[in-house]
Amino acid sequence: MATFAMIHGAGDVGWYWHLVAAELGERGHDVVAPDLPCDDDSAGLSEYADTVIEAIGERTDLVVVAQSSGGFTAPLVCERVPVKLLVLVAPMIPAPGEAPADYWTHTGYGEEPREHYEDEVALFYQDVPPELVSEALKRGRTQSEARMGEPSPLEAWPDVPTRVLLCRDDRLFPARFLRRVARERLAITPDEIDSGHTPALSRPKELADYLEACAAELA
């Protein structure tokens, strides 16, 4: 059985993964999903990685799973502890030394054809049940931008098998955009799921099935 270390996205909490964690737990896997210090102005990417590594403790057979901006933290974790597999879900995919604040310009995000949504629910949660949307908004935190302009300490992509899961109905990172970035930065063709940006809430069983299958391929 694997240990899944799950990293949430910007302004979020580990609760985001609770349905997927329950699915995986019922199948005998271990799951850790810590709250990153994302609302702390003194914390940067290294401190985010510290939080994940502390939550992992002595656990082994690690699969690191990162949602959205968690893609900046995940490879730093993989540099510091033995990891069997890295799975990036609807992710930001950092280049070595890149500051999170520079990602949008460096990837040409502003030039990518896409619909624009001002409403947070319409952008992130369009296919999530209303009761989960309400709880997610209640639990969400303000993402500190204080250190997001600092270069990432990532020097090179870790030597860990990596998968990218694209969400076909993602309104933040449209499929065409993420296919291009995954190809340019990792030479990876993403796997795909029918979901908006937050599949751990909209498609938890399907996401758990996918993660378990990915881990099983390396068993």
Side-chain angles (χ1 to χ4, degrees), residues 81-135:
V81 294
V83 174
K84 293 173 57 178
L85 176 67
L86 171 58
V87 183
L88 303 174
V89 181
M92 299 172 76
I93 303 173
E98 183 173 58
D102 292 334
Y103 184 81
W104 314 98
T105 300
H106 291 175
T107 58
Y109 182 78
E111 288 72 53
E112 191 71 30
R114 58 190 169 85
E115 298 292 331
H116 293 268
Y117 299 89
E118 299 300 327
D119 180 72
E120 184 177 1
V121 174
L123 181 61
F124 297 114
Y125 303 114
Q126 83 270 22
D127 57 345
V128 174
E131 64 275 13
L132 289 176
V133 173
S134 178
E135 190 65 21

